[in-house]
């Protein structure tokens, strides 16, 4: 047997192979936390308490509304009620307390209730509708606003197509540009309550403005009576204001608020009695304001009591967006893949510069394959 000679090889003399890049492990859907639908909701809304409460994204005026009501009522109970109980009756704080609770409850229900948001069409539903109404055959052509006509109480009503939600809006539905949602029986977007006012929360909104009118007028009358009683005996109004300066603050707030609130309550009382919405009244949909013939309101029962009962006392429709439901597995997979692609796209943009990428930015696999030897393996100096 021939003798074999072995030579010891210095491990440091060998070139260290470039490690292959390892992508971050893709999280399994079973291992990650199951998502609820409110977490991937496409509209411009904010959710609280795991999707139980919904408000508009721009709801910064709501704390101001609540703060004005709380400050005025607290000042009334602290500085006016003790004097009025002593000189008039104990029922004044009781009446004020009932009205205050009713106002705050109605306000919170209006603000945190789904106004009647319609879910957007799924990709299959949107493709089916587009196939029916777009016969141009071009994928880049966007046709003008499309409509569909339906009959309601022997009257033709046009349904507009919503390009955002990819569906024909049901009757009395409009797309809110602030919340980016189609709202059923859309009345208006109210920044004072921080939410849209629609089919599911209009009764709460109407209760809020009517009860607020009573509360504001009640506090204004009680404060005026308080100051009048203190000014008796020739002491004058200035003496009364010096004795109770907080009453002057309440008087100013109520004086400048009661007229607008009373006017708003009267306007919405007219809408309820006519079975109209603010959106329909402004556009003149059924009153001839838009320049067309007065076709008459197809949703009115031609009876004030019946209209009021239909708007305010009907059964509460269920929410259609199912915000606390779980996202299906297919949609969850698409969401995860989208989140993983974003960092990779950002990395590609970083190396896509004029003059080519730096050697440190090139993937090591290109160097190992020898596609760019002069760049990946620069000559070492002697």
């Amino acid at each position: 047997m021939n003798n074999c000679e072995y030579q010891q090889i210095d491990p440091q003399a060998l070139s260290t192979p470039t490690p292959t890049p390892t992508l971050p492990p893709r999280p399994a859907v079973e291992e990650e936390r199951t998502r609820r639908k409110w977490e991937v909701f496409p509209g411009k809304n904010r959710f609280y308490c795991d999707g139980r409460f919904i408000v508009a994204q721009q709801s910064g005026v709501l704390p101001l509304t609540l703060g004005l009501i709380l400050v005025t009522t607290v000042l009334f109970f602290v500085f006016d009620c003790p004097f009025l109980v002593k000189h008039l009756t104990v029922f004044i704080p009781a009446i004020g307390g009932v009205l205050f609770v009713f106002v705050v409850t109605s306000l919170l229900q209006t603000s945190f209730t789904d106004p009647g948001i319609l879910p957007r069409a799924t990709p299959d539903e949107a493709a089916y509708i587009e196939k029916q109404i777009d016969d141009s055959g071009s994928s880049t052509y966007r046709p003008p606003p499309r409509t569909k006509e339906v009959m309601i109480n022997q009257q033709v009503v046009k349904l507009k197509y919503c390009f955002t939600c990819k569906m024909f809006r049901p009757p009395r539905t409009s797309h809110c540009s602030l919340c980016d949602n189609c709202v059923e029986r859309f009345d208006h977007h109210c920044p004072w309550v921080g939410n849209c006012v629609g089919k599911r929360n209009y009764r709460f909104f109407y209760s809020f403005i009517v009860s607020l009118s009573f509360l504001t007028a009640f506090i204004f009358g009680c404060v005026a009576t308080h100051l009048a009683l203190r000014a008796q005996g020739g002491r004058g109004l200035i003496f009364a204001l010096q004795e109770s300066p907080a009453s002057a603050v309440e008087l100013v707030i109520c004086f400048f608020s009661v007229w607008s609130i009373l006017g708003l309550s009267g306007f919405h009382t007219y809408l309820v009695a006519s079975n109209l919405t603010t959106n329909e009244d402004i556009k003149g949909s059924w009153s001839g304001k838009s320049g067309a013939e007065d076709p008459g309101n197809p949703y009115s029962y031609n009876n004030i009591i019946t209209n009021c009962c239909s708007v305010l006392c009907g059964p509460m429709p269920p929410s259609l967006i199912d915000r606390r439901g779980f996202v299906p597995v297919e949609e969850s997979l698409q969401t995860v893949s989208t989140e993983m692609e974003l960092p990779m796209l950002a990395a590609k943009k970083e190396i896509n510069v004029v003059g080519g990428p730096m050697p440190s930015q090139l993937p090591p696999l290109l160097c190992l394959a020898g596609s760019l030897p002069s760049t990946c393996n620069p000559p070492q100096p002697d």
Side-chain angles (χ1 to χ4, degrees):
M1 181 180 294
N2 297 330
N3 294 330
C4 297
E5 297 181 356
Y6 297 93
Q7 181 179 1
Q8 186 176 2
I9 299 176
D10 187 5
Q12 297 180 355
L14 296 175
S15 59
T16 305
T18 306
T20 58
T22 57
L23 294 176
R26 182 174 179 176
V29 179
E30 294 79 10
E31 296 179 0
E32 70 173 5
R33 183 178 63 87
T34 305
R35 294 190 175 187
R36 294 187 182 269
K37 293 183 178 180
W38 68 266
E39 298 180 83
V40 295
F41 187 72
K44 297 178 182 178
N45 297 90
R46 288 187 293 181
F47 297 86
Y48 299 98
C49 297
D50 198 18
R52 290 177 174 85
F53 302 129
I54 176 174
V55 293
Q57 193 173 20
Q58 300 175 354
S59 57
V61 188
L62 174 60
L64 175 62
T65 306
L66 194 58
L68 284 175
I69 296 173
L70 289 175
V71 168
T72 307
T73 309
V74 169
L75 291 177
F76 171 70
F77 280 111
V78 173
F79 293 98
D80 296 288
C81 282
F83 182 87
L84 295 174
V85 168
K86 181 179 179 180
H87 292 81
L88 294 179
T89 176
V90 295
F91 291 104
I92 290 179
I95 296 173
V98 171
L99 289 174
F100 171 74
V101 171
F102 203 81
V103 166
V104 173
T105 303
S106 301
L107 172 61
L108 296 180
Q109 285 181 307
T110 307
S111 302
F112 296 137
T113 300
D114 169 24
I117 299 173
L118 295 177
R120 302 188 181 186
T122 62
D124 293 338
E125 294 171 345
Y128 177 76
I129 296 176
E130 289 289 341
K131 184 179 179 181
Q132 285 185 328
I133 61 181
D134 188 5
D135 298 329
S136 62
S138 174
S139 59
T140 60
Y141 170 72
R142 181 176 179 177
R146 294 159 286 187
T147 59
K148 179 189 292 186
E149 294 183 348
V150 296
M151 292 292 295
I152 298 178
N153 291 333
Q154 308 301 321
Q155 189 169 325
V156 178
V157 177
K158 291 185 178 181
L159 308 181
K160 293 184 178 180
Y161 180 81
C162 180
F163 289 97
T164 302
C165 300
K166 303 296 182 183
M167 66 176 181
F168 283 100
R169 301 170 188 162
R172 315 188 86 176
T173 299
S174 184
H175 191 91
C176 177
S177 58
L178 296 177
C179 296
D180 200 23
N181 296 311
C182 277
V183 180
E184 198 172 6
R185 201 186 182 277
F186 177 78
D187 191 87
H188 69 288
H189 182 93
C190 182
W192 295 99
V193 301
N195 201 355
C196 287
V197 179
K199 184 176 182 179
R200 299 191 71 250
N201 65 344
Y202 182 81
R203 65 189 68 191
F204 304 133
F205 174 78
Y206 183 76
S207 301
F208 165 65
I209 58 176
V210 170
S211 59
L212 184 60
S213 301
F214 280 107
L215 178 63
T216 307
F218 178 77
I219 293 178
F220 182 79
C222 290
V223 171
T225 303
H226 176 201
L227 294 177
L229 291 176
R230 284 188 179 273
Q232 285 180 348
R235 288 176 289 188
L237 181 61
I238 298 179
F239 173 80
L241 293 176
Q242 291 176 349
E243 289 290 321
S244 180
S247 299
V249 178
E250 303 169 48
L251 206 63
V252 171
I253 295 176
C254 293
F255 179 80
F256 287 103
S257 302
V258 67
W259 309 112
S260 58
I261 298 173
L262 285 175
L264 186 63
S265 300
F267 172 69
H268 277 276
T269 300
Y270 153 74
L271 294 179
V272 170
S274 305
N275 202 341
L276 286 170
T277 65
T278 303
N279 187 46
E280 293 170 347
D281 185 75
I282 292 176
K283 292 182 177 179
S285 303
W286 318 116
S287 60
K289 294 181 182 179
S290 57
E293 265 183 46
D294 183 5
N297 184 5
Y299 308 107
S300 176
Y301 293 94
N302 299 319
N303 185 283
I304 294 178
I305 298 178
T306 308
N307 285 337
C308 293
C309 293
S310 173
V311 175
L312 303 177
C313 304
M316 171 66 75
S319 178
L320 301 178
I321 55 176
D322 188 25
R323 53 189 182 271
R324 299 199 69 244
F326 293 101
V327 180
V329 178
E330 295 80 6
E331 297 182 14
S332 181
L333 285 172
Q334 293 176 1
T335 306
V336 172
S337 61
T338 304
E339 293 176 352
M340 293 182 61
E341 288 174 0
L342 290 177
M344 298 177 65
L345 291 175
K348 290 181 180 178
K349 290 181 180 179
E350 290 180 0
I351 66 174
N352 189 17
V353 294
V354 178
M358 298 296 292
S360 59
Q361 294 174 334
L362 286 173
L365 289 178
L366 294 179
C367 302
L368 293 177
S371 57
L372 296 173
S374 60
T375 306
C376 298
N377 300 311
Q380 300 294 332
D382 295 335

